[in-house]
Amino acid sequence: MNAVADDTPRLRFDFPGADGVSETLCFTAPCRTLVARAPGEVAQVLAQADAASRDGHWVAGFVCYEAAAAFDRAFHFRGITELPLVWFGVFDEPSAPQDPMTDSGVSGLAWTPTTGRRRFNDDIAAIQAHIHAGDVYQINHTLRLAGSFRGDDLALYEQLRARQPGGYCAHLAVGRHRILSLSPELFFCRDGQRLTLKPMKGTARRGATAPEDRAMADALRASEKDRAENLMIVDLIRNDVSRIARPHSVRVPALFGLEAHPTVWQMTSTIQADLRPGVDLAQIFAALFPCGSITGAPKIKAMDIIARRECSARGVYCGAIGLIRPGGDAVFNVPIRTLTLDMARGEGQYGVGSGITADSTAAAEYDEVLAKCLVIQAPRAAAPEHVPLANPLARVALMGSATPAGASRR
């Protein structure tokens, strides 16, 4: 079957289940689709998606980064995306998993950064000028890798997921577009009236040996730069979520935890809140989207600088991918480590970024970008240690917990 000619939407989610173990849910041939192509349609589509789940349907899809234009006129963007701003399929029930058509490898993929090191250095210098001027505290600056692809995108997804087990992975086939998300980052989980968020800020490479690997983790844990970067985003998200939370219910049960992934260590924190009665999906997105971990702080100014320094629209990268269960419980990732393919053109794009602060150096940040690219380039050799991602409602951070004081300006 020609993957481009068959335009039946097919979605697969490999998200953690209630027990923390990856659960595969597949969906095909939706009974209807909910699509927003203009900012004025976004809130309505999100509300319709929420209502469909309350009526007993499964709802699954994506929200592009540029959909944030619906929530604040002060948000600025670089260009437009070919994908809809929001796309959801409404399904009566999950379907049987689809097997790849082939067992073709991925060795033929060749990725080229669309931003060279000289331009990247200039971008970092410009961003730090804004930081020193007091305009922002940090910026999540991203670039793209571009490449070509011909073959079985589902087989590619399976092979890439084998390199990064766990996390919030998804494969979405919508028209000629394929979205292969290997994201380790939770955007939010709505479990009844409880909302859980787990932003990632702070990255270190994995070591080649067990002692070196532990040294890399210890250095990340002790890094004042990475802890400050993480804390700023925790403050920003606490401030965002307080807009839809019951008074005094916002809490940080785990701060500066470390998670091990095959190519990198990630520093994470967990934020929870109890939603006010009547808060729906559109209001959650209006308060939180886009996630502060992929913008910087304060959010409005950070997004303005991002729009001026980055070379293209982000699209689904840095937006949200997720599913809503019958009854309204929902899980969305932050689509980092996410590959988008245009099957008609045979082209692919992979976004990657890093958090820039006053203490950042261009060389170190570029090295961090390259480390995050290893998941689509490295051989399948096992990492020295892999700590599987658990359910956000049950997992325990490797560090102690604490609650930061003060809330960042939005």
Side-chain angles (χ1 to χ4, degrees):
M1 181 181 295
N2 187 307
V4 178
D6 177 19
D7 59 359
T8 302
R10 298 184 302 278
L11 292 76
R12 171 173 171 165
F13 294 84
D14 294 291
F15 280 13
D19 58 359
V21 177
S22 181
E23 175 187 26
T24 297
L25 289 170
C26 298
F27 303 91
T28 188
C31 54
R32 60 188 170 114
T33 57
L34 307 172
V35 181
R37 299 189 180 277
E41 302 167 349
V42 169
Q44 181 181 8
V45 166
L46 289 169
Q48 290 172 341
D50 208 12
S53 74
R54 306 288 182 180
D55 288 339
H57 295 283
W58 294 80
V59 184
F62 64 84
V63 181
C64 283
Y65 173 79
E66 289 75 19
F71 307 126
D72 197 322
R73 292 182 180 180
F75 290 159
H76 293 161
F77 306 93
R78 180 61 176 241
I80 59 175
T81 175
E82 290 187 347
L83 290 164
L85 292 178
V86 182
W87 187 98
F88 284 110
V90 179
F91 305 89
D92 291 328
E93 59 185 2
S95 58
Q98 180 186 17
D99 293 326
M101 291 184 290
T102 68
D103 191 27
S104 58
V106 298
S107 59
L109 290 169
W111 300 100
T112 304
T114 58
T115 300
R117 194 152 201 153
R118 178 177 296 180
R119 169 62 191 267
F120 185 85
N121 292 349
D122 291 344
D123 288 340
I124 302 308
I127 289 169
Q128 289 187 315
H130 283 288
I131 293 172
H132 293 312
D135 298 330
V136 288
Y137 306 121
Q138 67 167 289
I139 295 286
N140 190 65
H141 183 56
T142 73
L143 53 83
R144 318 286 181 266
L145 300 180
S148 59
F149 175 74
R150 300 283 182 185
D152 186 344
D153 53 285
L154 186 56
L156 173 59
Y157 170 74
E158 293 279 23
Q159 294 186 28
L160 293 178
R161 195 168 72 88
R163 298 176 183 176
Q164 181 156 306
Y168 298 85
C169 300
H171 175 273
L172 281 62
V174 179
R176 72 174 197 263
H177 298 285
R178 303 291 186 270
I179 301 166
L180 288 61
S181 184
L182 312 168
S183 177
E185 184 170 2
L186 172 69
F187 178 26
F188 69 83
C189 173
R190 180 176 67 182
D191 182 25
Q193 291 301 108
R194 174 168 292 182
L195 198 68
T196 301
L197 307 95
K198 193 157 188 179
M200 288 187 165
K201 271 297 165 190
T203 304
R205 286 179 181 267
R206 300 300 303 271
T209 64
E212 181 186 18
D213 193 49
R214 180 51 60 183
M216 299 294 283
D218 290 343
L220 176 60
R221 183 182 289 111
S223 168
E224 291 186 10
K225 181 261 186 188
D226 289 292
R227 289 165 71 95
E229 184 181 346
N230 191 286
L231 186 59
M232 279 186 252
I233 296 307
V234 169
D235 256 359
L236 186 154
I237 291 177
R238 287 199 331 162
N239 189 55
D240 282 353
V241 78
S242 68
R243 301 161 62 196
I244 53 174
R246 287 181 180 271
H248 313 298
S249 73
V250 180
R251 52 204 178 272
V252 183
L255 188 66
F256 306 147
L258 293 190
E259 288 185 355
H261 300 276
T263 60
V264 294
W265 286 98
Q266 295 276 186
M267 182 178 287
T268 68
S269 293
T270 301
I271 302 153
Q272 290 186 331
D274 299 325
L275 292 169
R276 294 199 309 265
V279 170
D280 64 11
L281 189 69
Q283 290 170 303
I284 293 173
F285 269 86
L288 302 177
F289 191 80
C291 182
S293 64
I294 50 78
T295 61
K299 189 180 285 188
I300 289 174
K301 186 61 178 180
M303 291 174 67
D304 176 63
I305 295 169
I306 287 168
R308 284 187 271 153
R309 300 310 308 184
E310 294 187 7
C311 297
S312 62
R314 289 182 170 186
V316 73
Y317 170 59
C318 293
I321 296 172
L323 59 89
I324 315 169
R325 294 174 179 270
D329 286 354
V331 182
F332 283 83
N333 74 7
V334 180
I336 57 175
R337 320 287 198 275
T338 295
L339 174 64
T340 57
L341 300 171
D342 185 322
M343 300 299 287
R345 296 175 181 169
E347 298 173 351
Q349 192 173 89
Y350 181 80
V352 64
S354 62
I356 311 304
T357 66
D359 297 328
S360 298
T361 65
E365 297 300 336
Y366 203 80
D367 287 345
E368 179 177 323
V369 165
L370 296 180
K372 292 173 179 175
C373 294
L374 291 176
V375 69
I376 62 168
Q377 296 174 328
R380 295 190 201 178
E385 175 187 359
H386 177 67
V387 179
L389 290 176
N391 182 278
L393 303 179
R395 71 182 90 171
V396 177
L398 300 183
M399 290 282 294
S401 64
T403 301
S408 299
R409 291 180 295 114
R410 185 163 184 267

